Amino acid sequence: MAKHARHERERRASESIRVKEIEAAWMASQTPAAAKAFAEAVTRVRAQGPMEPPAPMAPGTAPRPPRPGREPRPPKEERKRSRPFSD
C-alpha cells in the first residue's frame, strides 16, 4: 500500500466531498422523472458488473499493421560459414 502525504490525503478527501456536492446539485436541478430514470439506469449498469475482456486475436496477428518503413526484418538464414584459409 502506498503512503501519501497528509496534505495529499486531505486534498483528495476535500475533492471527493466537492464532487458529491456537485452531483447532488445536478440531481436536484433535474426533473424528478429524469432523475429517477438516471438513477435506475445507473443501478442497472452497476448491477451488470465489469465488462468481459475482448476476444483473443488469432496467434501471430498484430493489432495494427506496422507503419511504413517499420516492418519487421525477415529472419536471418543460418548458413554454415567455411573458413577460407585453414592451417
Side-chain angles (χ1 to χ4, degrees), residues 17-59:
I17 290 170
R18 180 67 182 141
V19 166
K20 288 182 181 182
E21 290 173 355
I22 292 170
E23 287 176 353
W26 179 78
M27 286 295 282
S29 71
Q30 301 295 314
T31 62
K36 183 179 177 185
F38 179 77
E40 289 174 355
V42 168
T43 55
R44 190 175 339 107
V45 170
R46 285 186 178 159
Q48 289 177 354
M51 294 176 60
E52 295 180 9
M57 297 177 71

Side-chain angles (χ1 to χ4, degrees), residues 72-79 81:
R73 290 184 179 175
K76 284 188 175 179
E77 294 178 10
E78 287 296 323
R79 54 186 160 169
R81 295 185 180 167

